[in-house]
Amino acid sequence: MQTSEKIQSMRGLDGGSWTPFLRAKEMLAAGESVIDLTIGDHDIKTPPELIQAMNRSALSGRTGYAEICGVPRLREEIAQRIESRTGITTTEKNVVITNGGQGALILIHLALLNQGDKALYGEPYYPTYPNTIRAAGGRPIAYPMPPEFGFQPNRSILESLAPGVRTILFNSPNNPTGAVYPMEKIKLIADVAQRHHLWVISDEVYDTQVWQGEHVSIRSLKGMADRCFVIGSMSKAFAMTGFRIGWLVGPEEVMQDIAELITVVTFGVPEFVQDAALHALQKSHELEQQIAAPFKRRRAAALEILKGRNAVSLSPPDGAMYLMLNIRQSGMSGKDFADLLLARERVAVMPGESFGATASGHVRVAMTENEDKLTDALDRLASLVESLANSNRT
Ligand code: PLP
């Protein structure tokens, strides 16, 4: 049977992004000892009180169909959270509950793109971005954010690509690079979007994980609330990746249209999951800190162990749970180096190329193991680059 052209256009285009993760999983399942630093899934488990809140809700009978756009009390809670963080009036009518940040990403691209519309996204990118745009019928166009620009957006690159484009997607704090865009870069994106009449999609799923600098939401900028959509998630901030719950915030009239899409795509998010999310958000200050703290400590330990290891250079890990390491002195591609590191040192990391050619010669390390394991892995990684660099010189 022939599947649609759309799905065929998506096939194999992620360049085997998830291969190292799948390989590490296989090795672990076969009983091998591997330090798995591939994907952004916490080793820290969901706080038990959130599981209890979910159980209480389900046992009380909240197991039927939920409201399509989400439980009103949860939408209100998210509206308040966004309003207090951006200073922009936000009501529950601006919020819909989605199946994770990914659910929000596909809904908003489906809502905004016509068949063949050009849609910009930053590279290095979160690997689902290009196929999310393709699935929505759009034409993905990457705007490169090379390492020499600190993996930050650049005006002349954006200006050259913006004409004729319908949407621009960006992500700060960034996966995979750990970059946090300062106010001047958020203003740059807003300015380009306003002058070229683009809709802006701001993926802020790591907004509670900022180690250096400050998270700026583009929604807080003058004139942007009518033009931008913010994607949020319970996954990273509350260690709730498997609960599949997040949100989309944007202009009310578009949210009404999104309800039509949710009706045919998922028919909503389970009520007991929404109740657990509400419980988490009501205690957000305490829980967010609890989940973020280990990553902050690990980042500090990583910087310490990599100090003076000049064969490896680290882009400033200002936010999110990742380190992006330049391993070019090894003389290898990120992919070949990641394969060798796994085979020789039993350390699994993601090749930079999994996130687009802009990150070639790099590997991404997810800080999803405790300090001891993480620093052991980084030490082995740096030693491997050093020995390859030395043998290249001789
Ligand atoms: N956006 C970015 C940048 C991510 O890194 C992820 C997950 O890793 C997501 C969105 C989707 O997260 P979820 O669907 O679990 O909320």
Side-chain angles (χ1 to χ4, degrees), residues 305-306 309-312 325 327 337 341 376-388:
I305 193 96
L306 290 172
R309 309 295 290 267
N310 296 334
V312 174
L325 294 162
I327 51 86
F337 180 81
L341 185 69
D376 177 25
L378 289 171
D379 185 34
R380 288 198 249 163
L381 183 155
S383 300
L384 183 58
V385 181
E386 283 156 6
S387 78
L388 291 165

Side-chain angles (χ1 to χ4, degrees), residues 18 40 99-103 105 126-129 171 173-176 203-206 231-236 240-242 244-246 322 364:
W18 307 108
N99 298 82
Q102 182 57 38
L105 279 164
Y126 173 55
T128 70
Y129 282 179
N171 167 228
N174 187 273
N175 175 14
D203 180 343
E204 303 183 16
V205 303
Y206 294 99
I231 288 169
S233 176
M234 299 300 295
S235 289
K236 311 294 173 173
M240 290 174 78
T241 50
R244 310 308 308 129
I245 180 162
Y322 311 101
R364 188 199 72 174

Side-chain angles (χ1 to χ4, degrees), residues 121-124 141-146 149 151-154 157-158 161 358:
Y121 66 102
E123 181 186 317
I141 311 237
Y143 57 91
M145 299 181 291
F149 296 162
F151 293 118
Q152 298 269 341
N154 166 275
I157 293 176
L158 282 180
L161 293 169
T358 310

Side-chain angles (χ1 to χ4, degrees), residues 154-234:
N154 166 275
R155 180 176 287 278
S156 59
I157 293 176
L158 282 180
E159 292 284 0
S160 68
L161 293 169
V165 161
R166 192 155 166 89
T167 54
I168 178 165
L169 166 62
F170 76 100
N171 167 228
S172 174
N174 187 273
N175 175 14
T177 64
V180 172
Y181 305 166
M183 176 60 96
E184 97 197 60
K185 295 293 181 186
I186 304 290
K187 280 191 171 155
L188 161 64
I189 293 167
D191 179 50
V192 171
Q194 278 168 331
R195 284 187 305 98
H196 293 273
H197 311 290
L198 314 184
W199 290 103
V200 177
I201 303 164
S202 176
D203 180 343
E204 303 183 16
V205 303
Y206 294 99
D207 64 347
T208 61
Q209 298 180 341
V210 178
W211 324 122
Q212 187 76 43
E214 214 186 317
H215 172 65
V216 182
S217 174
I218 199 159
R219 186 172 167 84
S220 65
L221 266 54
K222 196 158 168 274
M224 289 310 290
D226 292 337
R227 181 180 291 287
C228 81
F229 296 87
V230 172
I231 288 169
S233 176
M234 299 300 295

